[in-house]
Amino acid sequence: MTGYAIVLASPELERIQAVSTIASIAASSDIPVEVFVTMNALTAFESETVAEESFETEGAVGEAMLASDEVPLFVEQFEQAASIGPLTVYACEMAMDLLRLETDDLSDVFVDTLGVAGFLNSAQDKQVVFV
């Protein structure tokens, strides 16, 4: 195994923040990480949603994260981690098509778009985690 491949399908802020934190720590430790953002998780990465911080939260931790100035938002964590370590974030082509999203509609954290087959091919030597 050479790193992690994380499939992020949940739109819940708590889960997205957890993935960005884990991916950031791994990448800063020089552990390769690929994040495949699919299904409803893509809605949290829409530029308008990020600008308005109108995320789905499941409880007290998510609400506290939004209220805190000390917790960097997931897009900031992904951007920082990608600048210092081996982190790649992909948007799912199928979900983008279904949601009628273009690359310009999403935050700048994505390196590229991939279909499921492309992601599985790139993740074949990694531990795959589904969130």
Side-chain angles (χ1 to χ4, degrees), residues 8-35:
L8 178 57
S10 173
E12 296 166 12
L13 178 62
E14 295 86 346
R15 291 176 187 254
I16 297 169
Q17 280 290 151
V19 169
S20 70
T21 301
I22 292 166
S24 296
I25 291 169
S28 67
S29 300
D30 209 30
I31 299 169
V33 180
E34 294 184 9
V35 179

mmCIF file of all heavy atoms in Angstrom, residues 8-35:
data_model
loop_
_atom_site.group_PDB
_atom_site.id
_atom_site.type_symbol
_atom_site.label_atom_id
_atom_site.label_comp_id
_atom_site.label_asym_id
_atom_site.label_seq_id
_atom_site.Cartn_x
_atom_site.Cartn_y
_atom_site.Cartn_z
ATOM 1 N N LEU A 8 -15.313 10.460 -0.835
ATOM 2 C CA LEU A 8 -16.120 11.357 -0.021
ATOM 3 C C LEU A 8 -17.472 11.549 -0.697
ATOM 4 O O LEU A 8 -17.558 12.192 -1.743
ATOM 5 C CB LEU A 8 -15.402 12.699 0.153
ATOM 6 C CG LEU A 8 -16.121 13.784 0.931
ATOM 7 C CD1 LEU A 8 -16.480 13.309 2.342
ATOM 8 C CD2 LEU A 8 -15.257 15.032 0.980
ATOM 9 N N ALA A 9 -18.522 10.977 -0.102
ATOM 10 C CA ALA A 9 -19.856 11.041 -0.698
ATOM 11 C C ALA A 9 -20.848 11.827 0.141
ATOM 12 O O ALA A 9 -21.933 12.156 -0.325
ATOM 13 C CB ALA A 9 -20.395 9.625 -0.922
ATOM 14 N N SER A 10 -20.510 12.140 1.371
ATOM 15 C CA SER A 10 -21.429 12.811 2.284
ATOM 16 C C SER A 10 -21.331 14.332 2.182
ATOM 17 O O SER A 10 -20.231 14.880 2.146
ATOM 18 C CB SER A 10 -21.128 12.400 3.731
ATOM 19 O OG SER A 10 -21.918 13.163 4.632
ATOM 20 N N PRO A 11 -22.472 15.020 2.190
ATOM 21 C CA PRO A 11 -22.448 16.484 2.171
ATOM 22 C C PRO A 11 -22.316 17.096 3.570
ATOM 23 O O PRO A 11 -22.282 18.315 3.707
ATOM 24 C CB PRO A 11 -23.810 16.828 1.569
ATOM 25 C CG PRO A 11 -24.706 15.750 2.071
ATOM 26 C CD PRO A 11 -23.838 14.497 2.080
ATOM 27 N N GLU A 12 -22.225 16.257 4.607
ATOM 28 C CA GLU A 12 -22.191 16.761 5.976
ATOM 29 C C GLU A 12 -20.839 17.391 6.287
ATOM 30 O O GLU A 12 -19.790 16.781 6.079
ATOM 31 C CB GLU A 12 -22.451 15.627 6.961
ATOM 32 C CG GLU A 12 -23.828 15.025 6.818
ATOM 33 C CD GLU A 12 -23.964 13.709 7.558
ATOM 34 O OE1 GLU A 12 -23.081 13.363 8.365
ATOM 35 O OE2 GLU A 12 -24.962 13.016 7.307
ATOM 36 N N LEU A 13 -20.884 18.603 6.814
ATOM 37 C CA LEU A 13 -19.666 19.348 7.111
ATOM 38 C C LEU A 13 -18.725 18.572 8.015
ATOM 39 O O LEU A 13 -17.510 18.560 7.778
ATOM 40 C CB LEU A 13 -20.017 20.697 7.756
ATOM 41 C CG LEU A 13 -18.822 21.562 8.153
ATOM 42 C CD1 LEU A 13 -18.003 21.946 6.924
ATOM 43 C CD2 LEU A 13 -19.288 22.783 8.911
ATOM 44 N N GLU A 14 -19.251 17.910 9.021
ATOM 45 C CA GLU A 14 -18.397 17.173 9.949
ATOM 46 C C GLU A 14 -17.566 16.120 9.230
ATOM 47 O O GLU A 14 -16.368 15.961 9.504
ATOM 48 C CB GLU A 14 -19.238 16.495 11.043
ATOM 49 C CG GLU A 14 -19.967 17.448 11.962
ATOM 50 C CD GLU A 14 -21.334 17.903 11.444
ATOM 51 O OE1 GLU A 14 -21.639 17.696 10.237
ATOM 52 O OE2 GLU A 14 -22.109 18.456 12.222
ATOM 53 N N ARG A 15 -18.164 15.408 8.315
ATOM 54 C CA ARG A 15 -17.445 14.363 7.582
ATOM 55 C C ARG A 15 -16.427 14.964 6.614
ATOM 56 O O ARG A 15 -15.311 14.460 6.481
ATOM 57 C CB ARG A 15 -18.422 13.469 6.832
ATOM 58 C CG ARG A 15 -19.254 12.603 7.763
ATOM 59 C CD ARG A 15 -20.284 11.813 6.950
ATOM 60 N NE ARG A 15 -21.188 11.109 7.815
ATOM 61 C CZ ARG A 15 -21.159 9.794 8.018
ATOM 62 N NH1 ARG A 15 -20.272 9.045 7.388
ATOM 63 N NH2 ARG A 15 -22.009 9.222 8.828
ATOM 64 N N ILE A 16 -16.814 16.042 5.936
ATOM 65 C CA ILE A 16 -15.900 16.685 4.992
ATOM 66 C C ILE A 16 -14.705 17.272 5.735
ATOM 67 O O ILE A 16 -13.564 17.140 5.296
ATOM 68 C CB ILE A 16 -16.644 17.760 4.166
ATOM 69 C CG1 ILE A 16 -17.736 17.101 3.320
ATOM 70 C CG2 ILE A 16 -15.658 18.526 3.283
ATOM 71 C CD1 ILE A 16 -18.694 18.073 2.667
ATOM 72 N N GLN A 17 -14.964 17.911 6.875
ATOM 73 C CA GLN A 17 -13.870 18.462 7.680
ATOM 74 C C GLN A 17 -12.950 17.354 8.169
ATOM 75 O O GLN A 17 -11.732 17.511 8.182
ATOM 76 C CB GLN A 17 -14.413 19.236 8.885
ATOM 77 C CG GLN A 17 -14.882 20.622 8.594
ATOM 78 C CD GLN A 17 -13.794 21.624 8.260
ATOM 79 O OE1 GLN A 17 -14.059 22.555 7.534
ATOM 80 N NE2 GLN A 17 -12.587 21.478 8.753
ATOM 81 N N ALA A 18 -13.529 16.229 8.580
ATOM 82 C CA ALA A 18 -12.706 15.103 9.047
ATOM 83 C C ALA A 18 -11.807 14.601 7.923
ATOM 84 O O ALA A 18 -10.611 14.351 8.133
ATOM 85 C CB ALA A 18 -13.591 13.976 9.574
ATOM 86 N N VAL A 19 -12.354 14.474 6.724
ATOM 87 C CA VAL A 19 -11.549 14.021 5.577
ATOM 88 C C VAL A 19 -10.449 15.028 5.270
ATOM 89 O O VAL A 19 -9.292 14.647 5.040
ATOM 90 C CB VAL A 19 -12.441 13.773 4.340
ATOM 91 C CG1 VAL A 19 -11.602 13.579 3.078
ATOM 92 C CG2 VAL A 19 -13.340 12.572 4.570
ATOM 93 N N SER A 20 -10.772 16.320 5.293
ATOM 94 C CA SER A 20 -9.744 17.322 4.986
ATOM 95 C C SER A 20 -8.647 17.324 6.044
ATOM 96 O O SER A 20 -7.471 17.508 5.720
ATOM 97 C CB SER A 20 -10.351 18.714 4.821
ATOM 98 O OG SER A 20 -10.819 19.245 6.039
ATOM 99 N N THR A 21 -9.003 17.097 7.292
ATOM 100 C CA THR A 21 -8.004 17.056 8.361
ATOM 101 C C THR A 21 -7.104 15.831 8.216
ATOM 102 O O THR A 21 -5.867 15.940 8.270
ATOM 103 C CB THR A 21 -8.688 17.052 9.742
ATOM 104 O OG1 THR A 21 -9.484 18.238 9.862
ATOM 105 C CG2 THR A 21 -7.673 16.999 10.860
ATOM 106 N N ILE A 22 -7.708 14.675 8.011
ATOM 107 C CA ILE A 22 -6.929 13.439 7.853
ATOM 108 C C ILE A 22 -6.037 13.529 6.605
ATOM 109 O O ILE A 22 -4.851 13.194 6.656
ATOM 110 C CB ILE A 22 -7.859 12.211 7.780
ATOM 111 C CG1 ILE A 22 -8.531 12.008 9.146
ATOM 112 C CG2 ILE A 22 -7.104 10.969 7.338
ATOM 113 C CD1 ILE A 22 -9.707 11.066 9.118
ATOM 114 N N ALA A 23 -6.601 13.995 5.507
ATOM 115 C CA ALA A 23 -5.821 14.125 4.272
ATOM 116 C C ALA A 23 -4.681 15.122 4.440
ATOM 117 O O ALA A 23 -3.572 14.896 3.950
ATOM 118 C CB ALA A 23 -6.734 14.545 3.126
ATOM 119 N N SER A 24 -4.925 16.195 5.155
ATOM 120 C CA SER A 24 -3.895 17.207 5.384
ATOM 121 C C SER A 24 -2.743 16.653 6.199
ATOM 122 O O SER A 24 -1.573 16.884 5.876
ATOM 123 C CB SER A 24 -4.480 18.423 6.108
ATOM 124 O OG SER A 24 -5.430 19.055 5.312
ATOM 125 N N ILE A 25 -3.079 15.944 7.254
ATOM 126 C CA ILE A 25 -2.029 15.380 8.110
ATOM 127 C C ILE A 25 -1.236 14.326 7.346
ATOM 128 O O ILE A 25 -0.003 14.283 7.413
ATOM 129 C CB ILE A 25 -2.629 14.827 9.407
ATOM 130 C CG1 ILE A 25 -3.142 16.000 10.252
ATOM 131 C CG2 ILE A 25 -1.608 13.999 10.178
ATOM 132 C CD1 ILE A 25 -3.982 15.604 11.432
ATOM 133 N N ALA A 26 -1.930 13.479 6.594
ATOM 134 C CA ALA A 26 -1.236 12.454 5.803
ATOM 135 C C ALA A 26 -0.315 13.107 4.773
ATOM 136 O O ALA A 26 0.857 12.746 4.663
ATOM 137 C CB ALA A 26 -2.244 11.533 5.129
ATOM 138 N N ALA A 27 -0.843 14.061 4.026
ATOM 139 C CA ALA A 27 -0.041 14.710 2.988
ATOM 140 C C ALA A 27 1.160 15.447 3.586
ATOM 141 O O ALA A 27 2.259 15.393 3.029
ATOM 142 C CB ALA A 27 -0.905 15.679 2.184
ATOM 143 N N SER A 28 0.958 16.100 4.720
ATOM 144 C CA SER A 28 2.084 16.804 5.347
ATOM 145 C C SER A 28 3.106 15.828 5.912
ATOM 146 O O SER A 28 4.255 16.192 6.167
ATOM 147 C CB SER A 28 1.607 17.769 6.424
ATOM 148 O OG SER A 28 1.052 17.069 7.507
ATOM 149 N N SER A 29 2.694 14.567 6.084
ATOM 150 C CA SER A 29 3.614 13.509 6.525
ATOM 151 C C SER A 29 4.188 12.751 5.337
ATOM 152 O O SER A 29 4.749 11.677 5.488
ATOM 153 C CB SER A 29 2.884 12.540 7.455
ATOM 154 O OG SER A 29 2.397 13.207 8.591
ATOM 155 N N ASP A 30 3.969 13.294 4.132
ATOM 156 C CA ASP A 30 4.466 12.726 2.881
ATOM 157 C C ASP A 30 3.812 11.387 2.528
ATOM 158 O O ASP A 30 4.412 10.551 1.856
ATOM 159 C CB ASP A 30 5.989 12.606 2.897
ATOM 160 C CG ASP A 30 6.585 12.725 1.506
ATOM 161 O OD1 ASP A 30 5.983 13.435 0.664
ATOM 162 O OD2 ASP A 30 7.618 12.091 1.241
ATOM 163 N N ILE A 31 2.592 11.182 3.000
ATOM 164 C CA ILE A 31 1.805 9.996 2.647
ATOM 165 C C ILE A 31 0.848 10.401 1.524
ATOM 166 O O ILE A 31 0.034 11.307 1.712
ATOM 167 C CB ILE A 31 1.014 9.459 3.856
ATOM 168 C CG1 ILE A 31 1.975 9.047 4.979
ATOM 169 C CG2 ILE A 31 0.112 8.300 3.443
ATOM 170 C CD1 ILE A 31 1.284 8.748 6.297
ATOM 171 N N PRO A 32 0.923 9.774 0.365
ATOM 172 C CA PRO A 32 0.050 10.151 -0.750
ATOM 173 C C PRO A 32 -1.430 9.922 -0.425
ATOM 174 O O PRO A 32 -1.811 8.885 0.121
ATOM 175 C CB PRO A 32 0.489 9.221 -1.884
ATOM 176 C CG PRO A 32 1.842 8.750 -1.504
ATOM 177 C CD PRO A 32 1.863 8.710 -0.012
ATOM 178 N N VAL A 33 -2.243 10.915 -0.780
ATOM 179 C CA VAL A 33 -3.685 10.840 -0.556
ATOM 180 C C VAL A 33 -4.397 11.336 -1.804
ATOM 181 O O VAL A 33 -4.043 12.370 -2.368
ATOM 182 C CB VAL A 33 -4.126 11.716 0.644
ATOM 183 C CG1 VAL A 33 -5.625 11.622 0.857
ATOM 184 C CG2 VAL A 33 -3.383 11.329 1.903
ATOM 185 N N GLU A 34 -5.403 10.567 -2.226
ATOM 186 C CA GLU A 34 -6.289 10.989 -3.298
ATOM 187 C C GLU A 34 -7.692 11.031 -2.720
ATOM 188 O O GLU A 34 -8.117 10.091 -2.049
ATOM 189 C CB GLU A 34 -6.245 10.009 -4.465
ATOM 190 C CG GLU A 34 -4.909 9.977 -5.156
ATOM 191 C CD GLU A 34 -4.906 9.074 -6.373
ATOM 192 O OE1 GLU A 34 -5.979 8.590 -6.791
ATOM 193 O OE2 GLU A 34 -3.817 8.848 -6.904
ATOM 194 N N VAL A 35 -8.396 12.129 -2.947
ATOM 195 C CA VAL A 35 -9.774 12.269 -2.463
ATOM 196 C C VAL A 35 -10.672 12.373 -3.688
ATOM 197 O O VAL A 35 -10.449 13.209 -4.566
ATOM 198 C CB VAL A 35 -9.931 13.506 -1.560
ATOM 199 C CG1 VAL A 35 -11.381 13.647 -1.101
ATOM 200 C CG2 VAL A 35 -8.991 13.423 -0.354
#
